Amino acid sequence: MGKIMEAVFCIAYIIVTFILGGLILRKSNGNREYKLFGVMTLVLVFGDSFHLIPRIFAAIDQTGDYHVMLGLGKLITSITMTIFYLILFFIYSMRYKYRNTGLMVSMVVLAIARIVLCLMPQNDWTGEDPVTWGIIRNIPFTIMGIIMIILYFKERKDSAFKWMWLAITLSFAFYIPVVLWSDLSPMVGMLMLPKTCMYVWAICMGYKEVKTINQRS
């Protein structure tokens, strides 16, 4: 029963997030910030689908071998999650007129470092996926997350995105134990579900903002 519920959750997430991304793009009315938010949403769910669809099949057909598909899906998801946070930084820069070339370069370098580390063969995505490399490839990613938490926390008076910092914080709070201990207990891996909910929460903030702006105009 638990596997079926997981499959239902994954299907709902993919459908809802694709719809939200499409709606944000459609309602952006040429606004670069909102258009970028829609693109960011679709990048996230597109990448997540490569991992979640094999999980759905594995949950329904528990006799099948989806190990390779799941491993490759994790690789793709890791890359698109990195791009998600890089785009979120650019959205921050546009929304709050933030101009810090040094930090912008740092975010790009961190994103490239994370992607390069993810592509290293030592990760063995379709095999053991060693914890050591799980930690190594997540160091630049975690730094990106910390930067985003600090930046959005500073702008918490913005009614639309006042909880963005919390959504990012909780997503990492749920994600880090999975990186460190999911190999010891499969139950730890279930923390990816509330982590995913935090992404949906962040996307809903953007959708609500776009919808509100459209209603005013």
Side-chain angles (χ1 to χ4, degrees), residues 72 74-76 78-79 82 111-125 133 137:
L72 292 175
K74 284 173 64 178
L75 167 59
I76 295 170
S78 296
I79 292 172
T82 308
I112 292 172
R114 154 79 165 176
I115 292 171
V116 169
L117 288 171
C118 286
L119 293 172
M120 296 294 285
Q122 289 90 338
N123 288 286
D124 193 16
W125 289 102
W133 270 89
R137 67 176 178 256

Side-chain angles (χ1 to χ4, degrees), residues 122-167:
Q122 289 90 338
N123 288 286
D124 193 16
W125 289 102
T126 59
E128 293 292 327
D129 188 11
V131 175
T132 302
W133 270 89
I135 295 171
I136 292 171
R137 67 176 178 256
N138 276 293
I139 291 173
F141 183 61
T142 303
I143 295 172
M144 290 178 71
I146 292 170
I147 291 171
M148 296 311 303
I149 291 166
I150 293 170
L151 290 177
Y152 276 98
F153 182 77
K154 287 167 57 180
E155 305 295 340
R156 62 192 181 281
K157 292 182 180 179
D158 179 353
S159 59
F161 290 163
K162 67 179 180 180
W163 297 116
M164 185 66 76
W165 69 272
L166 183 59

Side-chain angles (χ1 to χ4, degrees), residues 5 7 13 62 84 97 129 153 165 169 171 174 184 203:
M5 291 302 295
Y13 164 73
Q62 298 183 28
F84 173 91
K97 307 296 187 295
D129 188 11
F153 182 77
W165 69 272
T169 301
S171 70
F174 292 128
L184 300 178
I203 290 164

Side-chain angles (χ1 to χ4, degrees), residues 2-210:
K3 288 288 185 180
I4 298 301
M5 291 302 295
E6 180 184 350
V8 170
F9 176 88
C10 292
I11 292 169
Y13 164 73
I14 292 171
I15 293 173
V16 169
T17 312
F18 261 122
I19 291 173
L20 286 173
L23 287 173
I24 293 170
L25 276 178
R26 187 168 68 85
K27 293 176 180 291
S28 64
N29 293 329
N31 183 297
R32 289 178 60 201
E33 178 194 328
Y34 300 146
K35 188 179 291 185
L36 198 56
F37 205 101
V39 170
M40 178 187 74
T41 301
L42 293 178
V43 166
L44 176 72
V45 69
F46 176 75
D48 284 353
S49 297
F50 282 93
H51 178 59
L52 295 180
I53 290 175
R55 286 187 72 91
I56 293 167
F57 280 110
I60 296 172
D61 175 23
Q62 298 183 28
T63 60
D65 184 5
Y66 299 95
H67 190 74
V68 173
M69 291 177 63
L70 284 166
L72 292 175
K74 284 173 64 178
L75 167 59
I76 295 170
T77 298
S78 296
I79 292 172
T80 51
M81 280 172 60
T82 308
I83 297 171
F84 173 91
Y85 276 105
L86 188 59
I87 296 176
L88 190 60
F89 173 77
F90 290 135
I91 290 171
Y92 177 92
S93 299
M94 293 171 65
R95 185 175 183 84
Y96 304 110
K97 307 296 187 295
Y98 185 75
R99 299 291 181 269
N100 187 322
T101 305
L103 189 57
M104 185 174 294
V105 170
S106 297
M107 286 292 288
V108 172
V109 169
L110 285 167
I112 292 172
R114 154 79 165 176
I115 292 171
V116 169
L117 288 171
C118 286
L119 293 172
M120 296 294 285
Q122 289 90 338
N123 288 286
D124 193 16
W125 289 102
T126 59
E128 293 292 327
D129 188 11
V131 175
T132 302
W133 270 89
I135 295 171
I136 292 171
R137 67 176 178 256
N138 276 293
I139 291 173
F141 183 61
T142 303
I143 295 172
M144 290 178 71
I146 292 170
I147 291 171
M148 296 311 303
I149 291 166
I150 293 170
L151 290 177
Y152 276 98
F153 182 77
K154 287 167 57 180
E155 305 295 340
R156 62 192 181 281
K157 292 182 180 179
D158 179 353
S159 59
F161 290 163
K162 67 179 180 180
W163 297 116
M164 185 66 76
W165 69 272
L166 183 59
I168 300 170
T169 301
L170 290 175
S171 70
F172 274 91
F174 292 128
Y175 177 63
I176 291 173
V178 174
V179 173
L180 297 175
W181 301 303
S182 62
D183 63 320
L184 300 178
S185 172
M187 289 302 295
V188 177
M190 295 301 290
L191 289 174
M192 292 299 281
L193 300 183
K195 187 215 80 160
T196 300
C197 291
M198 295 304 102
Y199 282 109
V200 175
W201 184 21
I203 290 164
C204 284
M205 292 181 207
Y207 172 71
K208 185 178 178 181
E209 169 72 351
V210 173

